[in-house]
Amino acid sequence: MCKGTFSYSNRNRMKKNSNMLDEEIVSKLSENLPFKINTDFGIGSVLNKKKLLNTFGNAIIKVQKSSEDYDFIVHNDFPVTNMSIKKYVKNYLDKEQDLYYFKSEDHYDFLLEIGLKTSILDKYNFGKDGRLSFWWGNKNTITSFHYDSYGFKEDKVIKKIHGEDFYKKAYRHSILTVIEGKKKVYIIHPKYSQYLKSDDTLQNGASWCLEKTELILNNKNIEYETVILNAGESLNIPMFWWHKIENLDQGMAVTYGFSL
């Protein structure tokens, strides 16, 4: 793998007139590197900015600071601010403020609160133990480099089962689906973890890099890839693969986590 842009979408096709992943793709998820999929699985028809404003505009959401400053995050415990969706759109999104972004995951299940979670899970309709996260922010809002471990230790469990090739046999995955806007995703293979200073105590089931993006991307020991995701596109990200996401435009996305 070298520095560049992924081009896996051409060999991973969807069945016509179907929201489900092609059965052949599902069977190969545990063998493939991260790959791009040219669909939003129909999520955009269930969840979008217009629907949230018109139907749930008075609902209170928890927004948090957008930062990759690890010391700031640790000492402020992911500070959040409560506000209505209408206020978030009017005072932040419409004014192109990138100080805050809206994230719903783990114990904060906003999609369940407003009654849309089941409809979205039905759209994906593959894998087991489906979990949803929701992201909504302006251009330039970011998440730092991190990987999802789902509570497993790569060197103590998975590697012993699968051997040196275990990174390609991860049985837990995330599908990042862009509903509106455009995102840039940086991807780093797990084998480069030895060159990344990280912490797995900040969030259960994940490990976060302590270094800033510039240092990581300029590290000659690390090779990375970039993926541009437009509205209506998705990206498969297996467990233990490092990734960082930048909003290139205002937009929203859903992450569907599942096991094989």
Side-chain angles (χ1 to χ4, degrees):
M1 192 162 66
C2 60
K3 297 183 181 181
T5 302
F6 278 110
S7 58
Y8 294 102
S9 57
N10 289 335
R11 65 179 185 178
N12 295 285
R13 299 295 187 182
M14 298 294 300
K15 285 184 175 179
K16 292 182 179 180
N17 302 319
S18 173
N19 289 327
M20 295 183 64
L21 274 176
D22 187 291
E23 292 178 3
E24 184 178 356
I25 297 177
V26 174
S27 68
K28 293 181 177 180
L29 276 173
S30 60
E31 303 296 333
N32 282 347
L33 298 170
F35 58 84
K36 191 173 175 181
I37 311 167
N38 295 321
T39 183
D40 71 351
F41 303 96
I43 308 302
S45 65
V46 177
L47 181 67
N48 52 67
K49 180 179 179 179
K50 183 177 180 180
K51 183 178 182 67
L52 289 179
L53 258 180
N54 293 343
T55 307
F56 306 103
N58 293 321
I60 301 301
I61 60 176
K62 300 176 181 179
V63 300
Q64 68 179 47
K65 291 284 183 70
S66 172
S67 174
E68 65 172 351
D69 185 330
Y70 182 78
D71 289 334
F72 170 82
I73 294 172
V74 169
H75 293 126
N76 289 275
D77 191 27
F78 281 119
V80 299
T81 300
N82 295 329
M83 65 182 70
S84 70
I85 287 179
K86 287 181 179 178
K87 182 177 180 181
Y88 178 58
V89 171
K90 179 180 179 180
N91 294 343
Y92 290 89
L93 296 185
D94 287 350
K95 294 182 179 180
E96 300 183 353
Q97 295 282 342
D98 59 10
L99 183 61
Y100 288 93
Y101 73 99
F102 175 36
K103 178 182 78 169
S104 168
E105 67 175 351
D106 298 332
H107 300 298
Y108 177 39
D109 199 338
F110 176 73
L111 296 177
L112 178 64
E113 289 181 6
I114 63 175
L116 295 183
K117 184 174 183 177
T118 299
S119 298
I120 296 172
L121 288 173
D122 287 344
K123 291 292 185 181
Y124 283 108
N125 193 28
F126 60 86
K128 298 179 293 184
D129 308 318
R131 303 168 307 282
L132 290 176
S133 301
F134 177 48
W135 318 85
W136 190 12
N138 252 328
K139 179 180 179 179
N140 297 326
T141 49
I142 59 173
T143 61
S144 303
F145 268 109
H146 66 285
Y147 68 71
D148 300 304
S149 63
Y150 307 103
F152 292 94
K153 295 291 186 180
E154 56 180 343
D155 58 339
K156 293 183 179 180
V157 178
I158 311 299
K159 197 168 185 177
K160 287 184 179 180
I161 296 173
H162 294 300
E164 292 298 323
D165 199 36
F166 82 101
Y167 294 121
K168 293 185 180 180
K169 299 181 181 295
Y171 53 86
R172 298 186 82 99
H173 295 254
S174 292
I175 298 286
L176 172 64
T177 298
V178 177
I179 302 169
E180 297 178 354
K182 180 187 293 186
K183 294 181 181 290
K184 177 187 284 187
V185 185
Y186 295 93
I187 300 283
I188 295 177
H189 191 288
K191 68 183 179 182
Y192 297 110
S193 293
Q194 60 182 309
Y195 302 112
L196 295 169
K197 184 180 179 182
S198 60
D199 188 318
D200 62 3
T201 63
L202 181 61
Q203 181 181 6
N204 184 36
S207 184
W208 290 82
C209 188
L210 310 185
E211 299 171 293
K212 292 189 176 181
T213 299
E214 183 178 0
L215 292 177
I216 298 171
L217 300 185
N218 288 328
N219 188 329
K220 295 182 179 180
N221 294 312
I222 299 173
E223 295 182 345
Y224 65 90
E225 297 282 354
T226 59
V227 182
I228 301 299
L229 285 180
N230 296 293
E233 297 179 332
S234 301
L235 179 70
N236 169 59
I237 307 175
M239 63 195 298
F240 301 131
W241 287 75
W242 292 94
H243 51 285
K244 170 193 169 62
I245 301 171
E246 297 179 0
N247 269 354
L248 300 181
D249 294 315
Q250 180 189 132
M252 61 175 62
V254 170
T255 299
Y256 172 65
F258 64 100
S259 56
L260 297 176

